[in-house]
Amino acid sequence: MHRTLAAIILATTATTAAHADRAEDAAFLMECAMGGDYPEACIGNIANPCLEAATTPAAEQACLERETAAWRAPAEGIFIAAMEQLAVVGDDLPDLMEKSQEGWEDYAYYACVISGMATGDTDRAPIEEARCLMERNAMRVIELMNMGR
């Protein structure tokens, strides 16, 4: 599974020059997540250094969105690999997985909107929402990487 997953990750992160930074970020995070026993430790590896240098709320939000994009870049390939692994176990599992993913996307979006709004601070709400989305997307990618093992 790891070799197949690694090939899918490399294929989905190899993009045009216009997306080179996102591809590099995604490859960096995937290498980190696949390289240790605790892939959750990789969450924030792009955003945190960026946040240290951010001087405005917009810059903070951009840092978090950059890492979210890096986690999401290989997500479809990882999702497909997980579905293929689960299809070996049971015919219905890929359909259930697809429904699960659709439900997860809705849940993550609304949970993070609520998280942002719950701050009660209109300036910080978009930053909290972006942080929430980064963390949830990262955790979902890690979950998908481990599915079917």
Side-chain angles (χ1 to χ4, degrees):
M1 165 90 173
H2 274 312
R3 285 189 182 180
T4 303
L5 188 56
I8 289 169
I9 290 167
L10 290 175
T12 57
T13 57
T15 60
T16 64
H19 299 287
D21 289 342
R22 185 180 334 155
E24 288 175 18
D25 287 349
F28 171 75
L29 289 175
M30 292 302 97
E31 183 178 328
C32 177
M34 292 177 66
D37 293 333
Y38 189 67
E40 292 83 358
C42 302
I43 300 170
N45 281 359
I46 291 171
N48 290 340
C50 180
L51 288 167
E52 290 175 12
T55 58
T56 66
E60 290 179 61
Q61 185 175 348
C63 292
L64 296 162
E65 289 172 350
R66 175 182 170 193
E67 183 161 332
T68 299
W71 282 107
R72 289 188 62 87
E76 184 175 347
I78 293 168
F79 178 78
I80 291 168
M83 282 183 42
E84 289 172 354
Q85 286 289 339
L86 291 174
V88 173
V89 177
D91 293 339
D92 293 338
L93 288 176
D95 289 335
L96 293 171
M97 176 112 169
E98 195 167 330
K99 289 176 183 174
S100 169
Q101 183 65 18
E102 290 169 4
W104 179 87
E105 288 173 4
D106 286 343
Y107 163 75
Y109 171 76
Y110 289 111
C112 291
V113 168
I114 291 167
S115 180
M117 293 174 74
T119 66
D121 181 342
T122 56
D123 292 333
R124 301 295 306 167
I127 298 163
E128 177 54 34
E129 182 178 336
R131 179 182 310 284
C132 176
L133 285 169
M134 179 197 73
E135 292 170 352
R136 287 183 191 272
N137 276 280
M139 291 301 297
R140 181 60 175 172
V141 168
I142 292 166
E143 178 183 14
L144 290 171
M145 289 170 62
N146 290 318
M147 221 172 258
R149 280 195 207 177

